[in-house]
């Protein structure tokens, strides 16, 4: 008698080879972050830190996956250029040599957000964390700096536990808001976290922070599904008495740009076509800092037409009010069948003994944070009557 055929296994959206590339990129990002944090000292120039971060990413990715696959060289490199955003600067500050702010240095007490990413074969790991310059166990972070840092850290930890198969994006939005509110803070309005796939870091499934009524109405409700990958960006502002989480554009020059793969447009200017071609060669589908391009001034002029027609999108430098602080944690997480899996590493710098806020979370939120990222699956009940209760 023929044995019954086993049902065909469901094809995986993420292969083991893909996961290996994701994890390798995550290891590189973690190593670069570990190397950058000790350099974030009083007097350090932000532009030097950004350049060093990108150099370390390139060195790290150049050292792995050097054998061609089916005769094709594996693409790898920077998935998100290194950004060092300080105090009320929300994100994307990575100055150009021509930027008047290129001489900006770090000061003691600065709330510093390090944001960077690497990719192997288009599988990207992106991470961000926040440190405070000069803080030690003997001289820890206190006051509103401590409140916003602790709020963002716990919000990220909670989001890790809520990005799981079957949950909705709004579950994360609302939980982050609840944590921020507990610390008299606000998530930065309208900031997005996105699904990732190969060569895509801004996929269609998205999570929004602190949405306006219009943004909540227009944002799709999505379910997290098996084998998806997400880049989760948690940004929290100390606000003005916790009321303000609105970001705005100021005088800083935009330096980071990315091709929008959903848009097609035939560029008219020869310089625009030249710059766009160089941009694609250097970064492919990923963002690029025009500081690394052959001619920074020509690149900026050449991108104007592409930005106007949405062929390229700018990552603008945005700010909250000058008397506020913003803390950020960004993690990349996969949803394989066995349960959620962090692709990036936990924060390097953050420790409770360094951040002393007088505010504590409610018991309900504490209990959620106490849960493991990957819960053990319950064993199926035995049906032969031989099992005994333990």
């Amino acid at each position: 008698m023929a044995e019954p055929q086993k049902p065909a296994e469901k094809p995986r959206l993420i292969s083991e080879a893909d996961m290996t590339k994701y994890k390798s990129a995550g290891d590189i990002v973690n190593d670069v972050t570990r190397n950058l944090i000790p350099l974030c000292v009083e007097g350090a120039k932000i532009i030097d830190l950004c350049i060093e971060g990108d150099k370390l990413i390139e060195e790290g990715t150049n050292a792995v996956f050097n054998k061609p696959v089916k005769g094709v060289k594996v693409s790898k490199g920077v998935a998100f250029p290194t950004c060092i955003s300080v105090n009320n600067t929300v994100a994307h500050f990575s100055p150009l040599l021509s930027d008047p702010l290129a001489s900006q240095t770090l000061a003691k007490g600065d709330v510093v957000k390090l944001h960077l990413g690497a990719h192997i074969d288009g599988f990207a790991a992106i991470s961000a964390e926040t440190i405070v310059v000069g803080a030690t166990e003997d001289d820890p972070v206190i006051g509103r700096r401590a409140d916003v840092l602790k709020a963002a850290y716990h919000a990220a930890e909670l989001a890790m536990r809520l990005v799981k198969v079957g949950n909705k994006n709004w579950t994360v939005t609302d939980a982050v808001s609840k944590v921020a509110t507990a610390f008299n803070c606000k998530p930065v309005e309208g900031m997005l976290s996105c699904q990732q796939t190969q060569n895509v870091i801004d996929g269609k499934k998205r999570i929004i922070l602190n949405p306006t009524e219009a943004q909540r109405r227009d944002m799709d409700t999505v379910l997290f599904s098996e084998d998806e990958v997400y880049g989760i960006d948690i940004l929290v502002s100390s606000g003005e008495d916790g009321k303000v989480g609105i970001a705005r554009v100021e005088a800083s020059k935009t330096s980071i740009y990315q091709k929008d793969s959903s848009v097609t447009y035939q560029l008219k200017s020869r310089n625009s076509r030249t710059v766009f071609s160089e941009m694609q060669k250097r970064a492919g589908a990923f963002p690029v800092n025009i500081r690394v391009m052959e001619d920074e001034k020509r690149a900026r002029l050449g991108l104007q037409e592409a930005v106007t027609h949405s062929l390229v999108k700018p990552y603008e430098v945005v700010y909250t009010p000058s008397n506020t602080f913003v803390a950020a944690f960004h993690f990349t997480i996969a949803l394989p069948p066995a349960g959620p899996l962090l692709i990036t590493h936990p924060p390097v710098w953050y420790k409770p003994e360094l951040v002393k806020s007088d505010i504590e979370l409610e018991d309900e939120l504490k209990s959620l944070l106490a849960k493991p990222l990957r819960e053990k699956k319950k064993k199926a009940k035995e049906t032969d009557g031989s099992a005994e209760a333990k």
Side-chain angles (χ1 to χ4, degrees), residues 218-290:
D218 295 340
M219 176 68 63
D220 290 336
T221 297
V222 298
L223 284 174
F224 304 127
S225 300
E226 195 172 282
D227 274 346
E228 292 178 339
V229 174
Y230 288 87
I232 306 298
D233 202 3
I234 304 298
L235 295 135
V236 177
S237 169
S238 62
E240 295 171 345
D241 297 324
K243 295 177 182 177
V244 178
I246 301 170
R248 63 183 189 275
V249 178
E250 290 188 357
S252 296
K253 290 183 178 180
T254 301
S255 61
I256 299 172
Y257 296 84
Q258 181 186 11
K259 179 185 182 299
D260 190 331
S261 58
S262 67
V263 176
T264 55
Y265 174 77
Q266 184 62 47
L267 293 166
K268 305 295 189 294
S269 160
R270 178 181 296 178
N271 184 47
S272 296
R273 293 194 297 271
T274 300
V275 170
F276 183 67
S277 177
E278 183 188 355
M279 177 182 169
Q280 287 188 288
K281 286 178 182 177
R282 287 185 180 274
F286 294 100
V288 65
N289 190 314
I290 59 173

Side-chain angles (χ1 to χ4, degrees), residues 172 205 269:
V172 179
K205 284 191 175 184
S269 160

Side-chain angles (χ1 to χ4, degrees), residues 172-354:
V172 179
T173 300
D174 295 339
V176 170
S177 181
K178 193 170 184 179
V179 173
T181 299
F183 288 88
N184 198 28
C185 296
K186 284 286 185 182
V188 178
E189 183 183 293
M191 292 293 118
L192 295 174
S193 298
C194 303
Q195 183 186 2
Q196 295 183 194
T197 54
Q198 188 177 22
N199 292 314
V200 176
I201 59 171
D202 52 357
K204 292 182 178 179
K205 284 191 175 184
R206 298 183 174 188
I207 303 161
I208 191 169
L209 297 184
N210 191 14
T212 63
E213 287 185 14
Q215 288 169 337
R216 185 175 279 271
R217 183 179 62 247
D218 295 340
M219 176 68 63
D220 290 336
T221 297
V222 298
L223 284 174
F224 304 127
S225 300
E226 195 172 282
D227 274 346
E228 292 178 339
V229 174
Y230 288 87
I232 306 298
D233 202 3
I234 304 298
L235 295 135
V236 177
S237 169
S238 62
E240 295 171 345
D241 297 324
K243 295 177 182 177
V244 178
I246 301 170
R248 63 183 189 275
V249 178
E250 290 188 357
S252 296
K253 290 183 178 180
T254 301
S255 61
I256 299 172
Y257 296 84
Q258 181 186 11
K259 179 185 182 299
D260 190 331
S261 58
S262 67
V263 176
T264 55
Y265 174 77
Q266 184 62 47
L267 293 166
K268 305 295 189 294
S269 160
R270 178 181 296 178
N271 184 47
S272 296
R273 293 194 297 271
T274 300
V275 170
F276 183 67
S277 177
E278 183 188 355
M279 177 182 169
Q280 287 188 288
K281 286 178 182 177
R282 287 185 180 274
F286 294 100
V288 65
N289 190 314
I290 59 173
R291 186 178 57 238
V292 305
M293 296 179 71
E294 188 175 315
D295 185 319
E296 182 185 298
K297 185 177 180 180
R298 188 185 71 177
R300 178 173 289 285
L301 291 171
L303 285 172
Q304 288 179 1
E305 183 186 356
V307 170
T308 298
H309 294 278
S310 301
L311 185 62
V312 165
K313 64 178 182 180
Y315 283 84
E316 293 174 325
V317 184
V318 290
Y319 299 81
T320 53
S322 59
N323 60 338
T324 62
F325 302 102
V326 175
F329 291 91
H330 186 125
F331 60 91
T332 308
I333 190 168
L335 302 178
L341 176 68
L342 272 180
I343 289 168
T344 50
H345 295 243
V348 173
W349 184 88
Y350 186 96
K351 296 179 182 65
E353 54 268 31
L354 288 175

Side-chain angles (χ1 to χ4, degrees), residues 88-107:
N88 66 314
T89 311
V90 177
H92 310 148
F93 187 73
S94 188
L96 304 171
L97 295 169
S98 61
D99 193 328
L101 296 177
S103 61
Q104 185 175 342
T105 60
L106 299 182

Side-chain angles (χ1 to χ4, degrees), residues 9-25:
E9 289 189 10
K10 181 182 175 182
R12 295 287 308 279
L13 296 178
I14 308 175
S15 68
E16 287 301 319
D18 296 344
M19 283 304 304
T20 298
K21 292 169 185 174
Y22 271 127
K23 290 175 185 176
S24 294

